[in-house]
């Protein structure tokens, strides 16, 4: 195989698995990278191409369609994913045209159903390379790439201006955030990153995580700055008993154990509990683990704290999981909200008097966040909201609701501590912006 072909073929198969078969990006990538034996840089390249297509599908299709005299059958073969991947390399990844076009043609030739379109692939991608960059700025990226139902939902929740800002931020690549066991400043210096006001260390994305200093000895783990807030908002947990009810892969469990809590980590999926155990083992941290349905689990005891990080539409994490744009549907919100309210009611039973229930979700939808908690409080009068205050754990006033719930949006950025990152040129600083959209409410049981 010519150099670079395996990475591009794997990327195209990941794109096809997501768009044609509805598979998740991570599952498809794991399978294809293994099948193609991709390592290091090739994995990174395949990932970048596939993620860019999933983010920018609308704009890429608008440009390709404008060059076609009659529409192509998009769902059937690898032809359309090959074209999307080729166009993404030319328009968004600034790859040399001879490589992007030549390797796309090679791929078409190697696929039985796409083979007789190889001349079309060549002609179309050459045209993209000549004219596409000029056509691109005239397109409305937010309107074309974000599904309409999602934009509508964001407009209803946040108003038109904020919805557009959410849309634009969701299409960007996220920086790499890590949570460190101790001494964030020293790790920031060692890794070339910056410490955020919230305590996470932020680096520009890129590079193999496993090869970075401190990974194998378990000094830190990958966790978005916003995802690191809910566990911090549980306050001083030293010596407290805490159950983390939807715990895998264990980012929040690791924070709580590191902070000195006695943690029980539960998850529905035994495979994901295994992953959590592996992650904790690497970090040299320990927790009791349980594989069970949090909606049914009824131990004969209560806990000082319960953390409930519910399964959700995850629309706050599109930057990291662009397949959400292509796979989630409006109906998913109501279906998940029903599961969340069942989990909340069961979680409430596990909280000792005076104890805390921290509910959180990486969905941007109020139905899974603000309204979910409002309904819970109507059903459970013994819980009061303990408002989160600006300044706590680096939380900015802008990320709080009037009632004191956390509501981060993808265009919010935690302040960077002065030093290395703030001295970077603007282009580099741009890679350090944003955070996942997260919602968290802190509830305390009064009796
Ligand atoms: C948002 S993820 C949790 C992320 C995790 N808290 C962390 O910080 O790494 C949601 C988790 O809920 C689990 N889950 C889904 N339904 C569940 C249920 N009924 N009971 C327990 N866990 C469930 C999923 O397997 C998934 O691991």
């Amino acid at each position: 195989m010519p150099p670079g072909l395996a990475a591009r073929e794997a990327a195209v198969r990941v794109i096809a698995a997501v768009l044609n078969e509805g598979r998740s990006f991570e599952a498809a990538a794991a399978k294809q990278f293994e099948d193609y034996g991709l390592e290091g840089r090739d994995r990174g390249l395949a990932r970048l191409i596939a993620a860019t297509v999933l983010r920018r599908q609308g704009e890429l299709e608008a440009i390709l369609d404008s060059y076609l005299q009659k529409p192509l059958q998009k769902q059937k073969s690898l032809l359309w994913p090959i074209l999307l991947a080729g166009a993404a390399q030319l328009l968004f990844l600034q790859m040399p045209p001879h490589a992007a076009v030549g390797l796309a043609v090679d791929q078409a030739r190697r696929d039985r159903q796409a083979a007789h379109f190889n001349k079309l692939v060549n002609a179309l991608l050459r045209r993209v390379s000549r004219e596409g960059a000029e056509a691109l700025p005239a397109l409305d990226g937010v309107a074309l790439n974000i599904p309409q139902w999602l934009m509508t939902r964001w407009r209803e929740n946040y108003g038109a201006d904020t919805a557009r800002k959410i849309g634009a931020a969701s299409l960007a690549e996220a920086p790499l955030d890590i949570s460190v066991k101790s001494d964030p400043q020293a790790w920031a210096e060692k890794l070339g990153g910056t410490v955020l006001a919230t305590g996470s260390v932020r680096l520009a994305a890129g590079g193999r995580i496993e090869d970075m200093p401190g990974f194998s000895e378990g000094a830190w783990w990958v966790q978005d700055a916003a995802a690191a807030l809910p566990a911090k908002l549980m306050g001083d947990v030293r010596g407290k008993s805490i159950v983390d009810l939807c715990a895998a892969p264990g980012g929040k469990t690791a924070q709580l154990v590191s902070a000195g809590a006695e943690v029980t980590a539960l998850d529905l999926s035994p495979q994901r509990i295994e992953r959590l155990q592996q992650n904790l083992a690497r970090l040299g941290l320990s927790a009791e683990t349980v594989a069970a349905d949090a909606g049914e689990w009824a131990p004969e005891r209560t806990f000082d704290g319960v953390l409930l990080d519910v399964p959700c539409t995850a629309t706050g994490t599109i930057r990291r999981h662009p397949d959400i744009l292509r796979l989630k549907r409006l109906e998913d919100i109501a279906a998940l909200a029903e599961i969340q309210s069942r989990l909340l009611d069961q979680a409430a039973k596990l909280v000792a008097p005076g104890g805390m229930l921290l509910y959180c979700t990486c969905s941007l939808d109020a139905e899974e966040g603000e309204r979910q908690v409002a309904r819970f409080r109507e059903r459970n009068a013994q819980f009061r909201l303990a408002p989160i205050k600006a300044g706590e754990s680096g939380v900015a006033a802008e990320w709080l609701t009037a009632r004191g719930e956390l509501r981060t949006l993808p265009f919010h950025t935690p302040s960077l501590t002065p030093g290395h990152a703030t001295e970077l040129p603007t282009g580099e600083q741009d890679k350090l912006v944003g955070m996942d959209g997260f919602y968290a409410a802190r509830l305390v049981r009064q009796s």
Side-chain angles (χ1 to χ4, degrees), residues 181-193:
K181 280 208 294 211
S182 61
D183 210 349
Q185 193 54 50
W187 281 107
E189 278 161 30
K190 224 177 271 185
L191 298 166

Side-chain angles (χ1 to χ4, degrees), residues 260-282:
E262 281 168 36
V263 182
T264 303
L266 178 143
D267 201 278
L268 179 62
S269 152
Q271 292 83 3
R272 288 175 64 86
I273 278 288
E274 214 178 296
R275 225 176 107 202
L276 174 142
Q277 285 164 337
Q278 287 162 0
N279 288 339
L280 290 185
R282 177 180 66 82

Side-chain angles (χ1 to χ4, degrees), residues 245-252 266-269 272 292-294 309-311 343:
L245 282 177
C246 294
K252 298 179 187 67
L266 178 143
D267 201 278
L268 179 62
S269 152
R272 288 175 64 86
D293 182 341
D309 182 17
V310 285
L343 296 181

Side-chain angles (χ1 to χ4, degrees), residues 14-59:
V14 171
I15 296 162
V18 176
L19 298 183
N20 300 351
E21 294 161 31
R23 287 181 207 272
S24 87
F25 179 46
E26 289 304 332
K31 176 173 187 317
Q32 294 306 331
F33 296 176
E34 169 125 21
D35 287 0
Y36 278 90
L38 294 191
E39 298 289 343
R41 278 171 64 95
D42 276 345
R43 270 183 191 226
L45 174 61
R47 196 169 252 290
L48 182 63
I49 294 173
T52 306
V53 168
L54 296 174
R55 286 189 187 108
R56 301 285 176 179
Q57 188 189 359
E59 283 161 296

Side-chain angles (χ1 to χ4, degrees), residues 110 134 230 248 268 316 324 349:
R110 283 161 54 86
E134 233 168 275
L268 179 62
I324 289 168
K349 296 183 194 154

